[in-house]
Amino acid sequence: MKNFRETIAYLTSLIVLVYLSLGIMAISFKIDESHLPDFLNIFDFDDPDTARTLLATLIAGMISLLVFSFSMVMTVLSQAGGNFSHKLVFGLITERRHQKVLGHYLGTILFILILLMVPVEGKTPDLWRSLAVYLGTGMVVNCLVLFVYFIHNVSQSIQINAITQGIHSSTQQAMQLLISVRNSSYERCFAFQQINQEKCYTVYSRQSGYIQSAQLEELAKLAEKAEAVIHLNFRFGDYTVSEFPLLKVETQKKPNEEWCEAALSRLEYVEGESIKGLYINGLTQLMEIAIKALSPGINDPGTARLCIHQITELLCQRLKIQPYNTLVDTQGFHRVTWPEEQFESLLYRVLSPILHYGKSDISVCLGLIKALKTISLFADVEQLKIIQLHAERIINALCEAATDSVDRQFISSRLGAGEHLLKLPERLPEKQK
């Protein structure tokens, strides 16, 4: 049921059900005209053919509007996927506001279709049925308004500023989960993971897919019940295959099959890389948009720099957080441990691809240097050493890219500028032969 709520069909189906209910009410209920206000008599049809012709025209127009809207949208999103990242296409079309528009479109078509399928009793439609026809006309007018709203939102949503800001906001929300602690009897902490291999049993996966998250408290209860420690043998967001050694269970007695099934059922699989609840995927998507913008076919370093700015802020926020990797019970025993992405690894996987594809572009390299300067202000001593190494790599790339004296002078004037804790040369070193 949870997976169905996240599909494009969930909200659309709810709206269609409302229209279906209205259609059934329109053909099923018989309201005497004497119970309706007299001023509504002007809406009564004198000829049944007039009502049917109007409904037939409306449904033909609605079908054309539906086909036109979504064929155009898919064309635009396809182009956006080619320019930025194909991972964004499905996320844009499944937004709640787009599902609402689709639901109103389909619901209006269904309502009119119900009126056409059920013939009018008598020579002319009664006032109740005539009002239903006018209601269908109002629904079509509403869809025309939604059409303008839909086109406006789609055109806005594929702009790079909106895309990166959306990913940035989703990543921030996912990052907040690292510091939010639910009411639980288990304490979250950061501890060194040490496994006693002599008392360790392996639980193998039964399916393949991306493991987005796990019900850690439930796993801790299972571990406490079995007097065991569960070590997750993967990082959240990893793709695992069937029969992969997923869990390492440190216990005196080998867990039975029922216990293993219960533990595996606490893992949550998703299709594809989702940002929801996993901030690393958000940073990865920003990196992928940046390197796509640096490809020869697109050649848009401005978009790459925009992504670097978003990545900079997110990495600074990440430095303020110490992620948990252990659940401890009330007696102080470790119950569940899992590997967390270290800052060193995160910095490499996010910035190194951008440097690889943009090392010949001076503006991109200077953008990366500026990003590292900002990040250095939030780093501790050990993290600062890693940032310094990345800065030296970028300076080497600048030495290779800057062959003109004007370029070298421009770069040198910006190397040490701004607030930072890095050790940068006052001038760009000469190119090594």
Side-chain angles (χ1 to χ4, degrees), residues 182 213-220 236 265-268 327 336:
R182 301 175 183 174
S213 60
Q215 300 173 16
L216 297 174
E217 286 83 3
E218 296 298 322
L219 285 173
F236 292 124
S265 67
R266 269 57 179 186
L267 306 178
E268 298 179 3
L327 239 61
V336 182

Side-chain angles (χ1 to χ4, degrees), residues 18-23 26 58 62 65 104-105 107-112 115 132-146:
V18 174
Y19 280 87
L20 177 62
S21 302
L22 291 174
L58 291 175
M62 277 304 307
L65 182 64
H104 284 288
Y105 278 15
T108 300
I109 293 174
L110 182 60
F111 179 82
I112 298 175
L115 296 183
V133 175
Y134 282 104
L135 178 60
T137 305
M139 291 177 179
V140 174
V141 174
N142 175 62
C143 288
L144 292 176
V145 175
L146 289 176

Side-chain angles (χ1 to χ4, degrees), residues 111-273:
F111 179 82
I112 298 175
L113 190 61
I114 291 174
L115 296 183
L116 284 171
M117 290 174 60
V118 180
V120 176
E121 295 182 0
K123 294 183 179 180
T124 59
D126 57 15
L127 181 56
W128 177 254
R129 190 63 178 268
S130 298
L131 291 176
V133 175
Y134 282 104
L135 178 60
T137 305
M139 291 177 179
V140 174
V141 174
N142 175 62
C143 288
L144 292 176
V145 175
L146 289 176
F147 170 72
V148 177
Y149 165 81
F150 185 59
I151 297 302
H152 171 75
N153 276 284
V154 169
S155 62
Q156 292 292 320
S157 63
I158 62 171
Q159 294 181 10
I160 186 59
N161 289 335
I163 291 174
T164 56
Q165 187 59 43
I167 297 175
H168 177 270
S169 299
S170 299
T171 306
Q172 279 186 320
Q173 293 174 8
M175 204 174 290
Q176 289 302 314
L177 296 177
L178 297 178
I179 57 178
S180 64
V181 180
R182 301 175 183 174
N183 294 328
S184 173
S185 58
Y186 298 98
E187 179 185 355
R188 287 171 168 81
C189 67
F190 184 82
F192 178 71
Q193 300 177 25
Q194 186 174 7
I195 303 177
N196 187 347
Q197 298 293 344
E198 296 180 357
K199 301 178 181 179
C200 192
Y201 299 91
T202 302
V203 179
Y204 296 90
S205 62
R206 308 291 198 267
Q207 66 181 98
S208 59
Y210 292 92
I211 304 180
Q212 180 77 0
S213 60
Q215 300 173 16
L216 297 174
E217 286 83 3
E218 296 298 322
L219 285 173
K221 291 177 182 177
L222 288 173
E224 192 170 6
K225 183 178 179 181
E227 296 183 353
V229 183
I230 300 176
H231 302 278
L232 305 187
N233 196 30
F234 59 89
R235 285 187 175 89
F236 292 124
D238 284 353
Y239 183 86
T240 60
V241 298
S242 182
E243 300 301 323
F244 179 81
L246 212 57
L247 307 177
K248 300 286 187 178
V249 184
E250 190 177 332
T251 180
Q252 296 288 347
K253 183 180 179 181
K254 183 178 180 180
N256 56 37
E257 186 65 22
E258 181 181 357
W259 189 93
C260 294
E261 286 291 343
L264 292 174
S265 67
R266 269 57 179 186
L267 306 178
E268 298 179 3
Y269 288 81
V270 296
E271 295 181 2
E273 298 178 359

